[in-house]
Amino acid sequence: MQDITLATLLTRIVALFVILAVYGLVLSWAAARMGDPGPAEDGRMTFNPFAHLDILGAIAFLIFGMGWMRPLSVDPGTLRWNAAGLLPVLLCGFLSLLLLASIAILLLPWAATTFSYSGAPVVGGFLVVLARLAVGFALFNLVPLPPTTAGQFLFSVYPRLYAALDSRRTIVGLVMLALLATSFPGRALAPFNQDLLRFLSRGAPMVSTLR
């Protein structure tokens, strides 16, 4: 785990808010499109990152660069294709963060030419960090272990297990924090993270820091 400076912490806080706003909104929208109005009724169809914030997930993100959002209540029984309808919802969330990372990469030349000599490195550095963290967040939440989005969706297929899991949300989050502290998830996902960043930055100028 790298040393966390004040600048790193502030950058990750801003990146977390952007990622949660996009990811939470898109997942809620996708769930509604698939037939479940629950997330929208719960106030989750919003760009407000605080509506999607999970405290332990945020702590994990700030320390390890990988985290999760507050669980999204999706009822598989209300979805088109039932439990299989969870897959397109999950895919929409994943793709939304890849799109966010792509936009950040494409904005790098604009940042270099628009801001001052002292401001350009700050904005460009943030865009690089945002791209990296968005891809990392997207990949981590495909891991089918609670409290990730994929893990939550998997358990939602089994209502009794999901209820037991939800009642122990804090314990589950602490267990995941302990797992992240071993550095194993980060090492396991790092090659996929790098491959996706290389793919997203193909043909884009000034992205050597991503490779």
Side-chain angles (χ1 to χ4, degrees):
M1 183 180 67
Q2 69 180 55
D3 293 334
I4 299 177
T5 64
L6 179 59
T8 299
L9 186 62
L10 292 175
T11 300
R12 287 189 177 184
I13 289 173
V14 177
L16 173 64
F17 287 162
V18 175
I19 288 168
L20 286 178
V22 172
Y23 189 65
L25 173 64
V26 170
L27 278 178
S28 301
W29 172 84
R33 294 293 295 175
M34 289 300 295
D36 186 354
E41 293 172 353
D42 292 340
R44 300 295 296 275
M45 198 179 294
T46 174
F47 265 122
N48 181 1
F50 293 101
H52 311 297
L53 182 68
D54 181 278
I55 298 300
L56 289 178
I59 292 172
F61 184 89
L62 297 179
I63 297 175
F64 304 109
M66 290 182 290
W68 56 91
M69 71 171 192
R70 185 160 64 88
L72 193 71
S73 297
V74 178
D75 181 2
T78 65
L79 298 176
R80 272 176 280 172
W81 315 334
N82 296 315
L86 292 168
L87 292 176
V89 177
L90 185 64
L91 181 62
C92 282
F94 176 77
L95 293 177
S96 72
L97 292 188
L98 296 193
L99 178 60
L100 176 63
S102 298
I103 292 172
I105 292 168
L106 291 173
L107 286 176
L108 283 171
W110 167 81
T113 57
T114 302
F115 292 90
S116 65
Y117 180 79
S118 59
V122 175
V123 177
F126 170 73
L127 292 173
V128 169
V129 170
L130 178 60
R132 285 184 178 278
L133 293 177
V135 171
F137 194 98
L139 286 171
F140 182 66
N141 278 276
L142 290 182
V143 176
L145 291 174
T148 69
T149 304
Q152 176 211 339
F153 282 3
L154 178 63
F155 274 71
S156 70
V157 178
Y158 307 97
R160 289 185 180 179
L161 284 176
Y162 182 80
L165 178 73
D166 192 56
S167 66
R168 297 168 176 82
R169 188 186 306 169
T170 300
I171 296 175
V172 171
L174 290 173
V175 170
M176 182 58 77
L177 271 172
L179 180 60
L180 287 171
T182 68
S183 299
F184 174 74
R187 290 197 304 268
L189 293 175
F192 301 100
N193 196 317
Q194 288 300 316
D195 287 344
L196 271 175
L197 285 170
R198 290 192 190 99
F199 174 78
L200 295 176
S201 61
R202 285 188 309 172
M206 306 174 61
V207 291
S208 58
T209 50
L210 287 169
R211 300 183 179 185

PDB file of all heavy atoms in Angstrom, residues 20-48:
ATOM      1  N   LEU A  20     -19.064   7.686  -7.302  1.00  0.00           N
ATOM      2  CA  LEU A  20     -20.327   7.291  -6.662  1.00  0.00           C
ATOM      3  C   LEU A  20     -21.518   7.938  -7.359  1.00  0.00           C
ATOM      4  O   LEU A  20     -22.558   7.286  -7.541  1.00  0.00           O
ATOM      5  CB  LEU A  20     -20.316   7.680  -5.184  1.00  0.00           C
ATOM      6  CG  LEU A  20     -19.462   6.844  -4.240  1.00  0.00           C
ATOM      7  CD1 LEU A  20     -19.549   7.405  -2.823  1.00  0.00           C
ATOM      8  CD2 LEU A  20     -19.900   5.378  -4.253  1.00  0.00           C
ATOM      9  N   ALA A  21     -21.379   9.206  -7.747  1.00  0.00           N
ATOM     10  CA  ALA A  21     -22.487   9.896  -8.411  1.00  0.00           C
ATOM     11  C   ALA A  21     -22.862   9.200  -9.709  1.00  0.00           C
ATOM     12  O   ALA A  21     -24.043   8.947  -9.981  1.00  0.00           O
ATOM     13  CB  ALA A  21     -22.103  11.354  -8.675  1.00  0.00           C
ATOM     14  N   VAL A  22     -21.853   8.874 -10.519  1.00  0.00           N
ATOM     15  CA  VAL A  22     -22.106   8.236 -11.810  1.00  0.00           C
ATOM     16  C   VAL A  22     -22.590   6.800 -11.628  1.00  0.00           C
ATOM     17  O   VAL A  22     -23.622   6.399 -12.179  1.00  0.00           O
ATOM     18  CB  VAL A  22     -20.826   8.265 -12.677  1.00  0.00           C
ATOM     19  CG1 VAL A  22     -21.016   7.435 -13.939  1.00  0.00           C
ATOM     20  CG2 VAL A  22     -20.459   9.694 -13.026  1.00  0.00           C
ATOM     21  N   TYR A  23     -21.860   6.040 -10.838  1.00  0.00           N
ATOM     22  CA  TYR A  23     -22.156   4.610 -10.678  1.00  0.00           C
ATOM     23  C   TYR A  23     -23.520   4.386 -10.016  1.00  0.00           C
ATOM     24  O   TYR A  23     -24.323   3.576 -10.490  1.00  0.00           O
ATOM     25  CB  TYR A  23     -21.053   3.984  -9.832  1.00  0.00           C
ATOM     26  CG  TYR A  23     -21.080   2.476  -9.750  1.00  0.00           C
ATOM     27  CD1 TYR A  23     -20.864   1.692 -10.873  1.00  0.00           C
ATOM     28  CD2 TYR A  23     -21.279   1.835  -8.531  1.00  0.00           C
ATOM     29  CE1 TYR A  23     -20.858   0.306 -10.795  1.00  0.00           C
ATOM     30  CE2 TYR A  23     -21.274   0.453  -8.432  1.00  0.00           C
ATOM     31  CZ  TYR A  23     -21.069  -0.307  -9.568  1.00  0.00           C
ATOM     32  OH  TYR A  23     -21.063  -1.681  -9.487  1.00  0.00           O
ATOM     33  N   GLY A  24     -23.806   5.122  -8.947  1.00  0.00           N
ATOM     34  CA  GLY A  24     -25.080   4.952  -8.252  1.00  0.00           C
ATOM     35  C   GLY A  24     -26.270   5.336  -9.105  1.00  0.00           C
ATOM     36  O   GLY A  24     -27.287   4.630  -9.141  1.00  0.00           O
ATOM     37  N   LEU A  25     -26.144   6.452  -9.813  1.00  0.00           N
ATOM     38  CA  LEU A  25     -27.236   6.899 -10.682  1.00  0.00           C
ATOM     39  C   LEU A  25     -27.496   5.903 -11.799  1.00  0.00           C
ATOM     40  O   LEU A  25     -28.649   5.529 -12.065  1.00  0.00           O
ATOM     41  CB  LEU A  25     -26.917   8.269 -11.262  1.00  0.00           C
ATOM     42  CG  LEU A  25     -27.896   8.786 -12.327  1.00  0.00           C
ATOM     43  CD1 LEU A  25     -29.274   9.005 -11.735  1.00  0.00           C
ATOM     44  CD2 LEU A  25     -27.376  10.067 -12.969  1.00  0.00           C
ATOM     45  N   VAL A  26     -26.437   5.453 -12.460  1.00  0.00           N
ATOM     46  CA  VAL A  26     -26.611   4.554 -13.601  1.00  0.00           C
ATOM     47  C   VAL A  26     -27.183   3.208 -13.155  1.00  0.00           C
ATOM     48  O   VAL A  26     -28.068   2.647 -13.823  1.00  0.00           O
ATOM     49  CB  VAL A  26     -25.279   4.363 -14.350  1.00  0.00           C
ATOM     50  CG1 VAL A  26     -25.389   3.252 -15.383  1.00  0.00           C
ATOM     51  CG2 VAL A  26     -24.872   5.664 -15.024  1.00  0.00           C
ATOM     52  N   LEU A  27     -26.718   2.669 -12.041  1.00  0.00           N
ATOM     53  CA  LEU A  27     -27.271   1.409 -11.544  1.00  0.00           C
ATOM     54  C   LEU A  27     -28.757   1.552 -11.223  1.00  0.00           C
ATOM     55  O   LEU A  27     -29.561   0.674 -11.557  1.00  0.00           O
ATOM     56  CB  LEU A  27     -26.519   0.955 -10.294  1.00  0.00           C
ATOM     57  CG  LEU A  27     -25.201   0.217 -10.482  1.00  0.00           C
ATOM     58  CD1 LEU A  27     -24.592  -0.099  -9.129  1.00  0.00           C
ATOM     59  CD2 LEU A  27     -25.389  -1.078 -11.271  1.00  0.00           C
ATOM     60  N   SER A  28     -29.126   2.664 -10.595  1.00  0.00           N
ATOM     61  CA  SER A  28     -30.532   2.889 -10.255  1.00  0.00           C
ATOM     62  C   SER A  28     -31.375   3.043 -11.512  1.00  0.00           C
ATOM     63  O   SER A  28     -32.492   2.502 -11.604  1.00  0.00           O
ATOM     64  CB  SER A  28     -30.662   4.139  -9.375  1.00  0.00           C
ATOM     65  OG  SER A  28     -29.908   3.999  -8.195  1.00  0.00           O
ATOM     66  N   TRP A  29     -30.846   3.786 -12.491  1.00  0.00           N
ATOM     67  CA  TRP A  29     -31.555   3.955 -13.766  1.00  0.00           C
ATOM     68  C   TRP A  29     -31.727   2.617 -14.471  1.00  0.00           C
ATOM     69  O   TRP A  29     -32.808   2.305 -14.989  1.00  0.00           O
ATOM     70  CB  TRP A  29     -30.770   4.924 -14.652  1.00  0.00           C
ATOM     71  CG  TRP A  29     -31.303   5.034 -16.049  1.00  0.00           C
ATOM     72  CD1 TRP A  29     -32.327   5.819 -16.491  1.00  0.00           C
ATOM     73  CD2 TRP A  29     -30.849   4.286 -17.189  1.00  0.00           C
ATOM     74  NE1 TRP A  29     -32.532   5.620 -17.838  1.00  0.00           N
ATOM     75  CE2 TRP A  29     -31.643   4.688 -18.297  1.00  0.00           C
ATOM     76  CE3 TRP A  29     -29.853   3.344 -17.388  1.00  0.00           C
ATOM     77  CZ2 TRP A  29     -31.466   4.150 -19.570  1.00  0.00           C
ATOM     78  CZ3 TRP A  29     -29.674   2.814 -18.657  1.00  0.00           C
ATOM     79  CH2 TRP A  29     -30.471   3.218 -19.730  1.00  0.00           C
ATOM     80  N   ALA A  30     -30.668   1.811 -14.491  1.00  0.00           N
ATOM     81  CA  ALA A  30     -30.733   0.512 -15.166  1.00  0.00           C
ATOM     82  C   ALA A  30     -31.739  -0.399 -14.483  1.00  0.00           C
ATOM     83  O   ALA A  30     -32.489  -1.130 -15.151  1.00  0.00           O
ATOM     84  CB  ALA A  30     -29.348  -0.135 -15.190  1.00  0.00           C
ATOM     85  N   ALA A  31     -31.756  -0.379 -13.148  1.00  0.00           N
ATOM     86  CA  ALA A  31     -32.725  -1.200 -12.420  1.00  0.00           C
ATOM     87  C   ALA A  31     -34.155  -0.785 -12.761  1.00  0.00           C
ATOM     88  O   ALA A  31     -35.035  -1.625 -12.964  1.00  0.00           O
ATOM     89  CB  ALA A  31     -32.479  -1.094 -10.919  1.00  0.00           C
ATOM     90  N   ALA A  32     -34.387   0.535 -12.849  1.00  0.00           N
ATOM     91  CA  ALA A  32     -35.719   1.028 -13.211  1.00  0.00           C
ATOM     92  C   ALA A  32     -36.094   0.609 -14.627  1.00  0.00           C
ATOM     93  O   ALA A  32     -37.241   0.219 -14.894  1.00  0.00           O
ATOM     94  CB  ALA A  32     -35.769   2.548 -13.068  1.00  0.00           C
ATOM     95  N   ARG A  33     -35.141   0.696 -15.548  1.00  0.00           N
ATOM     96  CA  ARG A  33     -35.403   0.295 -16.928  1.00  0.00           C
ATOM     97  C   ARG A  33     -35.707  -1.193 -17.036  1.00  0.00           C
ATOM     98  O   ARG A  33     -36.460  -1.616 -17.914  1.00  0.00           O
ATOM     99  CB  ARG A  33     -34.200   0.627 -17.808  1.00  0.00           C
ATOM    100  CG  ARG A  33     -33.925   2.107 -17.957  1.00  0.00           C
ATOM    101  CD  ARG A  33     -34.997   2.827 -18.724  1.00  0.00           C
ATOM    102  NE  ARG A  33     -35.073   2.389 -20.119  1.00  0.00           N
ATOM    103  CZ  ARG A  33     -35.992   2.796 -20.985  1.00  0.00           C
ATOM    104  NH1 ARG A  33     -36.942   3.645 -20.578  1.00  0.00           N
ATOM    105  NH2 ARG A  33     -35.983   2.375 -22.226  1.00  0.00           N
ATOM    106  N   MET A  34     -35.138  -1.982 -16.119  1.00  0.00           N
ATOM    107  CA  MET A  34     -35.393  -3.420 -16.128  1.00  0.00           C
ATOM    108  C   MET A  34     -36.648  -3.793 -15.357  1.00  0.00           C
ATOM    109  O   MET A  34     -37.015  -4.962 -15.308  1.00  0.00           O
ATOM    110  CB  MET A  34     -34.184  -4.163 -15.555  1.00  0.00           C
ATOM    111  CG  MET A  34     -32.958  -4.148 -16.454  1.00  0.00           C
ATOM    112  SD  MET A  34     -33.247  -4.917 -18.074  1.00  0.00           S
ATOM    113  CE  MET A  34     -33.546  -6.623 -17.599  1.00  0.00           C
ATOM    114  N   GLY A  35     -37.301  -2.801 -14.752  1.00  0.00           N
ATOM    115  CA  GLY A  35     -38.596  -3.068 -14.141  1.00  0.00           C
ATOM    116  C   GLY A  35     -38.698  -2.901 -12.651  1.00  0.00           C
ATOM    117  O   GLY A  35     -39.783  -3.084 -12.084  1.00  0.00           O
ATOM    118  N   ASP A  36     -37.603  -2.550 -11.952  1.00  0.00           N
ATOM    119  CA  ASP A  36     -37.659  -2.395 -10.502  1.00  0.00           C
ATOM    120  C   ASP A  36     -37.587  -0.916 -10.136  1.00  0.00           C
ATOM    121  O   ASP A  36     -36.535  -0.294 -10.261  1.00  0.00           O
ATOM    122  CB  ASP A  36     -36.501  -3.148  -9.835  1.00  0.00           C
ATOM    123  CG  ASP A  36     -36.612  -3.144  -8.316  1.00  0.00           C
ATOM    124  OD1 ASP A  36     -37.517  -2.472  -7.789  1.00  0.00           O
ATOM    125  OD2 ASP A  36     -35.793  -3.811  -7.659  1.00  0.00           O
ATOM    126  N   PRO A  37     -38.704  -0.330  -9.666  1.00  0.00           N
ATOM    127  CA  PRO A  37     -38.694   1.090  -9.299  1.00  0.00           C
ATOM    128  C   PRO A  37     -38.118   1.341  -7.912  1.00  0.00           C
ATOM    129  O   PRO A  37     -38.023   2.487  -7.484  1.00  0.00           O
ATOM    130  CB  PRO A  37     -40.178   1.452  -9.354  1.00  0.00           C
ATOM    131  CG  PRO A  37     -40.868   0.182  -8.933  1.00  0.00           C
ATOM    132  CD  PRO A  37     -40.029  -0.954  -9.480  1.00  0.00           C
ATOM    133  N   GLY A  38     -37.747   0.281  -7.213  1.00  0.00           N
ATOM    134  CA  GLY A  38     -37.304   0.407  -5.826  1.00  0.00           C
ATOM    135  C   GLY A  38     -36.184   1.403  -5.601  1.00  0.00           C
ATOM    136  O   GLY A  38     -36.309   2.296  -4.748  1.00  0.00           O
ATOM    137  N   PRO A  39     -35.071   1.304  -6.340  1.00  0.00           N
ATOM    138  CA  PRO A  39     -33.977   2.266  -6.117  1.00  0.00           C
ATOM    139  C   PRO A  39     -34.395   3.719  -6.328  1.00  0.00           C
ATOM    140  O   PRO A  39     -33.968   4.597  -5.579  1.00  0.00           O
ATOM    141  CB  PRO A  39     -32.932   1.827  -7.151  1.00  0.00           C
ATOM    142  CG  PRO A  39     -33.180   0.367  -7.335  1.00  0.00           C
ATOM    143  CD  PRO A  39     -34.668   0.220  -7.250  1.00  0.00           C
ATOM    144  N   ALA A  40     -35.234   3.968  -7.344  1.00  0.00           N
ATOM    145  CA  ALA A  40     -35.702   5.340  -7.578  1.00  0.00           C
ATOM    146  C   ALA A  40     -36.565   5.810  -6.414  1.00  0.00           C
ATOM    147  O   ALA A  40     -36.457   6.957  -5.956  1.00  0.00           O
ATOM    148  CB  ALA A  40     -36.483   5.413  -8.887  1.00  0.00           C
ATOM    149  N   GLU A  41     -37.413   4.918  -5.905  1.00  0.00           N
ATOM    150  CA  GLU A  41     -38.271   5.273  -4.781  1.00  0.00           C
ATOM    151  C   GLU A  41     -37.461   5.487  -3.507  1.00  0.00           C
ATOM    152  O   GLU A  41     -37.881   6.222  -2.615  1.00  0.00           O
ATOM    153  CB  GLU A  41     -39.312   4.173  -4.568  1.00  0.00           C
ATOM    154  CG  GLU A  41     -40.313   4.065  -5.719  1.00  0.00           C
ATOM    155  CD  GLU A  41     -41.219   2.848  -5.597  1.00  0.00           C
ATOM    156  OE1 GLU A  41     -40.967   2.018  -4.688  1.00  0.00           O
ATOM    157  OE2 GLU A  41     -42.150   2.724  -6.408  1.00  0.00           O
ATOM    158  N   ASP A  42     -36.307   4.843  -3.430  1.00  0.00           N
ATOM    159  CA  ASP A  42     -35.426   5.013  -2.274  1.00  0.00           C
ATOM    160  C   ASP A  42     -34.542   6.246  -2.383  1.00  0.00           C
ATOM    161  O   ASP A  42     -33.684   6.481  -1.524  1.00  0.00           O
ATOM    162  CB  ASP A  42     -34.524   3.783  -2.115  1.00  0.00           C
ATOM    163  CG  ASP A  42     -35.311   2.543  -1.716  1.00  0.00           C
ATOM    164  OD1 ASP A  42     -36.437   2.696  -1.202  1.00  0.00           O
ATOM    165  OD2 ASP A  42     -34.799   1.418  -1.918  1.00  0.00           O
ATOM    166  N   GLY A  43     -34.736   7.022  -3.460  1.00  0.00           N
ATOM    167  CA  GLY A  43     -33.955   8.239  -3.634  1.00  0.00           C
ATOM    168  C   GLY A  43     -32.561   8.016  -4.179  1.00  0.00           C
ATOM    169  O   GLY A  43     -31.684   8.878  -4.056  1.00  0.00           O
ATOM    170  N   ARG A  44     -32.351   6.870  -4.843  1.00  0.00           N
ATOM    171  CA  ARG A  44     -31.023   6.549  -5.339  1.00  0.00           C
ATOM    172  C   ARG A  44     -30.796   6.988  -6.787  1.00  0.00           C
ATOM    173  O   ARG A  44     -29.654   6.940  -7.254  1.00  0.00           O
ATOM    174  CB  ARG A  44     -30.771   5.037  -5.223  1.00  0.00           C
ATOM    175  CG  ARG A  44     -30.840   4.491  -3.809  1.00  0.00           C
ATOM    176  CD  ARG A  44     -29.734   5.040  -2.929  1.00  0.00           C
ATOM    177  NE  ARG A  44     -28.425   4.617  -3.393  1.00  0.00           N
ATOM    178  CZ  ARG A  44     -27.868   3.450  -3.060  1.00  0.00           C
ATOM    179  NH1 ARG A  44     -28.505   2.600  -2.269  1.00  0.00           N
ATOM    180  NH2 ARG A  44     -26.658   3.142  -3.498  1.00  0.00           N
ATOM    181  N   MET A  45     -31.835   7.399  -7.492  1.00  0.00           N
ATOM    182  CA  MET A  45     -31.647   7.846  -8.865  1.00  0.00           C
ATOM    183  C   MET A  45     -31.272   9.326  -8.862  1.00  0.00           C
ATOM    184  O   MET A  45     -32.046  10.205  -9.253  1.00  0.00           O
ATOM    185  CB  MET A  45     -32.893   7.599  -9.714  1.00  0.00           C
ATOM    186  CG  MET A  45     -32.599   7.644 -11.221  1.00  0.00           C
ATOM    187  SD  MET A  45     -34.037   7.329 -12.273  1.00  0.00           S
ATOM    188  CE  MET A  45     -34.390   5.632 -11.895  1.00  0.00           C
ATOM    189  N   THR A  46     -30.050   9.577  -8.417  1.00  0.00           N
ATOM    190  CA  THR A  46     -29.585  10.942  -8.254  1.00  0.00           C
ATOM    191  C   THR A  46     -28.077  11.000  -8.436  1.00  0.00           C
ATOM    192  O   THR A  46     -27.371  10.008  -8.204  1.00  0.00           O
ATOM    193  CB  THR A  46     -29.957  11.478  -6.857  1.00  0.00           C
ATOM    194  OG1 THR A  46     -29.365  12.767  -6.663  1.00  0.00           O
ATOM    195  CG2 THR A  46     -29.456  10.549  -5.758  1.00  0.00           C
ATOM    196  N   PHE A  47     -27.587  12.190  -8.822  1.00  0.00           N
ATOM    197  CA  PHE A  47     -26.153  12.417  -8.926  1.00  0.00           C
ATOM    198  C   PHE A  47     -25.540  12.757  -7.568  1.00  0.00           C
ATOM    199  O   PHE A  47     -24.326  12.931  -7.468  1.00  0.00           O
ATOM    200  CB  PHE A  47     -25.865  13.564  -9.902  1.00  0.00           C
ATOM    201  CG  PHE A  47     -25.572  13.102 -11.305  1.00  0.00           C
ATOM    202  CD1 PHE A  47     -26.336  13.546 -12.375  1.00  0.00           C
ATOM    203  CD2 PHE A  47     -24.523  12.239 -11.557  1.00  0.00           C
ATOM    204  CE1 PHE A  47     -26.061  13.138 -13.669  1.00  0.00           C
ATOM    205  CE2 PHE A  47     -24.241  11.817 -12.846  1.00  0.00           C
ATOM    206  CZ  PHE A  47     -25.014  12.262 -13.902  1.00  0.00           C
ATOM    207  N   ASN A  48     -26.361  12.860  -6.551  1.00  0.00           N
ATOM    208  CA  ASN A  48     -25.859  13.195  -5.217  1.00  0.00           C
ATOM    209  C   ASN A  48     -25.038  12.020  -4.677  1.00  0.00           C
ATOM    210  O   ASN A  48     -25.591  10.961  -4.371  1.00  0.00           O
ATOM    211  CB  ASN A  48     -27.017  13.497  -4.274  1.00  0.00           C
ATOM    212  CG  ASN A  48     -26.553  13.876  -2.879  1.00  0.00           C
ATOM    213  OD1 ASN A  48     -25.347  13.931  -2.596  1.00  0.00           O
ATOM    214  ND2 ASN A  48     -27.500  14.127  -1.988  1.00  0.00           N
TER     215      ASN A  48
END
